Amino acid sequence: MNQISWNLHNFRHLLKHCIAERDFLTGKSLHALYIKSVVPSSTYLSNHFILLYSKCRRLLAARWAFDRTPNPNVFSFNAIIAAYAKESQMKVAHQLFDRIPVPDLVSYNTMLSAFADRGEIGPAFSLFSGMREMGLDMDGFTLSAVVTACGEDVSFMRQLHSFAVSSGLDSYVSPSNALLTYYSKNGYLNEAKRMFNELGEARDEVSWNSMIVAYGQHREGLRALELFQEMIRKGLDVDMYTLASVLTAFTCLSDLVGGLQFHAKLVKTGFHQNSHVGSGLIDLYSKCKGAMSDCAKVFQEIEEPDLVLWNTMISGYSQNEELSEEALDCFRSMRRVGYRPDDCSFVCAVSACSNLSSPSQGKQMHGLVIKSEIPSNWISVDNALVAMYSKCGNLGDARRLFDRMPEHNTVSLNSMIAGYAQHGLGEESLTLFQMMLDNDIPPTSITFISVLSACAHTGKVHEGQTYFNMMKEKFGLEPEAEHYSCMIDLLGRAGKISEAEKLIETMPFNPGSIGWASLLGACRKHGNMEIAVKAAYQFLRHEPANAAPYVILSNMYASAGRLEDMVAIRKLMRDRGVKKKPGCSWIELNRRTHVFVAEDSSHPMIKEIHDYLDEMLLKIRKVGYVPDFNRFSLKEDGMEEKGMEIRLSHHSEKLAVAFGLISTKDGEPILVVKNLRICGDCHNAFKHISKITKREITVRDTRRFHCFKEGQCSCEDYW
């Protein structure tokens, strides 16, 4: 062997090692030697430098190497196309694909996989159809990519499945795994089971992992754990994906004890430091324990957190409304360390803005979305933005964004229907639901919660009963606790207390606190003391530490003049150590959030706020406002009427509205958010204030939006 051939042999070996280890610096040094002709140039070596830079995410260097490749072949094109696809630059990738004289199967599979990963269904199907028309051979990877691109088109998926069987491609484990995963994600667990069983001995670790995840997604966590134990008995290799799947099973079972024991095993094996497994642990602790401090500890133990792990942390924070600021801080930290947000990042961050009811931060996030090249799933981000604008009180922008979306799915319509329902626009909500049915978009359980809520907020009893019956009769959906709660609320608001009580007693399962809370709220509205007492005590059986039933019953006793009963229920509340959640309201002005509590004196403008309220209360008294003392049990304190009126005027929502009115220009609408339901006296006062000031005042409470304009509320006093 001469010196040149020996050098070439070692050069190739070292270059392949750099690619495998993603050793950019050593590979760059080799490239410098190659350019200096230390070894003879060849298309083979040039292709490997393109591959090196692609693996190291150095796109410009990869393109530079490609442009200087002597006589680029199909491998050269495939390598640079993969580099552009990895960086989500599909336009350039497609241009390069069109330049290949004779694309091979790898060329098509690379493009198909890239389109599928980005959720670009149209281009993926077009490319696949072109392959079939030209009679090109396909393999398991081809079909796997097309299956991944199917989205929610189940009918097309079934056609693909038939094609796989007729062409023999179902003998490949890769497309079978893709079909299994697709059926599971889209709610077809039985089909997923059948795919798993038909694979038989051909099952690989991916098949087992996919099936474990499938059971977890369908809340069959015990079956998922049984499958994991069977996998261990068969001696199959357990990797990070298997372990993450098992953690998903513990999460869906809400089995924190089992999850903790499994975490201990992960620590012993060292897998707890794996980024993928860490995501499963964070998901477990955030959903089953609500302890984001534990999630932060898991996160800190992982040396190189990936994008998925960051997204899981942001999601964990955003699921807890009180930690929404932390979610946005985590999102910013992720960007600072160099990660580019994907669709999941944006969905979680936008949800945090929704929780905060922060229009300014929501709009900033929307601007960032527009500037960003999201690699996939645009529709999920648009859906989150529609929900965000609705929850921030800007229903007009929500609808404009909804109308501009190139396509809608069930979640899109659910978001818009829920937005209309929360704003008390029942007709618009039901019209959109009918459009959903006309377009053969199948509603989900979540759709019906919004539809029934819209009926409840607008008194449409007959329509609500029709939709409730439609769930099972037409769509095969079993009503759940939330649907029964909506029906109880619907009947109760309409004054049909006895019918609501009968429904709660004939439910096919325990109504829990949700059902009794709805009935108790209806009794408060219509003054039905007898059923209210029953509902309150049933509520307390399920949630003895919840202050709501104590407070509602106490107020009802006070309004009825039953002071002894009122004192007794308050004593019971004190003896059990239950404390009422303090009322808190906030308003965002000039990108700063101002928070108020009842009797607040901490705000720097509190004197101006009190002076404004005193002046405004005098004005609205002249046009018919009468303070509502009956709604609150203030009389037992021996308080004079003047003292009661001052106490009412210092409610947190009144302080926030007054601050908003004196801090903004005439005619400018304001949005106030409250952590409890708006009180009746404030509701009455705001109607008069909106008329006198000629301002639009929107208050978002825990149940809905109240938009006060020209002396009227959007709820039409039906709340």
Side-chain angles (χ1 to χ4, degrees), residues 243 247 259-274 277 281 285 297-298 301:
L243 298 173
L247 286 167
L260 287 167
Q261 292 172 350
F262 196 69
H263 189 178
K265 291 182 179 179
L266 293 174
V267 172
K268 290 178 182 177
T269 57
F271 269 108
H272 69 296
Q273 294 180 319
N274 177 275
V277 175
L281 285 168
Y285 287 127
K297 290 176 185 175
V298 171
E301 288 179 345

Side-chain angles (χ1 to χ4, degrees), residues 321-330 332 352 356 361 593:
E321 288 197 13
E322 295 179 358
L323 296 176
S324 297
E325 284 287 359
E326 285 80 354
L328 295 178
D329 287 341
C330 192
R332 296 183 192 106
L356 293 168
Q361 295 194 78
T593 302

Side-chain angles (χ1 to χ4, degrees), residues 60 75 100 132 190 209 215 231 251 261 313 351 410 453 551 648 666:
L60 292 177
F75 185 97
I100 305 176
R132 293 193 64 189
N190 289 332
N209 291 343
Y215 280 121
M231 189 177 178
T251 302
Q261 292 172 350
M313 276 298 290
S351 296
T410 304
S453 177
V551 173
L648 284 172
D666 289 344

Side-chain angles (χ1 to χ4, degrees), residues 389-545:
Y389 280 118
S390 295
K391 290 180 180 178
C392 289
N394 199 335
L395 202 56
D397 281 349
R399 184 60 198 240
R400 278 188 285 275
L401 177 59
F402 177 84
D403 290 337
R404 287 204 303 265
M405 289 172 65
E407 60 177 312
H408 299 117
N409 60 12
T410 304
V411 179
S412 316
L413 286 150
N414 286 352
S415 299
M416 203 65 236
I417 290 169
Y420 280 129
Q422 288 172 338
H423 284 77
L425 300 175
E427 290 293 344
E428 289 84 346
S429 187
L430 298 182
T431 299
L432 206 55
F433 177 64
Q434 189 58 50
M435 185 190 90
M436 187 178 192
L437 300 181
D438 293 342
N439 290 323
D440 295 323
I441 300 175
T444 63
S445 293
I446 295 172
T447 314
F448 279 103
I449 290 173
S450 298
V451 169
L452 294 174
S453 177
C455 293
H457 286 311
T458 50
K460 296 181 182 297
V461 177
H462 175 71
E463 291 88 339
Q465 290 173 326
T466 301
Y467 294 132
F468 183 76
N469 295 331
M470 182 190 292
M471 284 186 67
K472 187 172 183 179
E473 293 172 2
K474 187 173 181 179
F475 297 102
L477 297 170
E478 287 289 344
E480 299 171 6
E482 290 86 348
H483 303 102
Y484 277 97
S485 177
C486 288
M487 284 304 297
I488 294 162
D489 192 32
L490 170 65
L491 294 169
R493 285 172 184 267
K496 299 178 182 291
I497 304 294
S498 298
E499 290 182 38
E501 184 185 20
K502 183 179 179 181
L503 179 62
I504 203 171
E505 289 175 344
T506 56
M507 286 169 62
F509 44 77
N510 191 319
S513 59
I514 297 176
W516 291 110
S518 297
L519 184 61
L520 179 58
C523 291
R524 174 179 60 177
K525 177 179 176 64
H526 295 283
N528 191 317
M529 185 65 73
E530 181 183 352
I531 298 179
V533 172
K534 177 182 177 180
Y537 280 99
Q538 288 291 342
F539 191 156
L540 289 172
R541 281 182 59 196
H542 293 91
E543 292 189 38

Side-chain angles (χ1 to χ4, degrees), residues 318-321 324 351-357 391 586 700:
S318 66
Q319 286 168 12
N320 186 331
E321 288 197 13
S324 297
S351 296
C353 296
S354 300
N355 295 339
L356 293 168
S357 285
K391 290 180 180 178
W586 60 94
R700 173 188 166 186

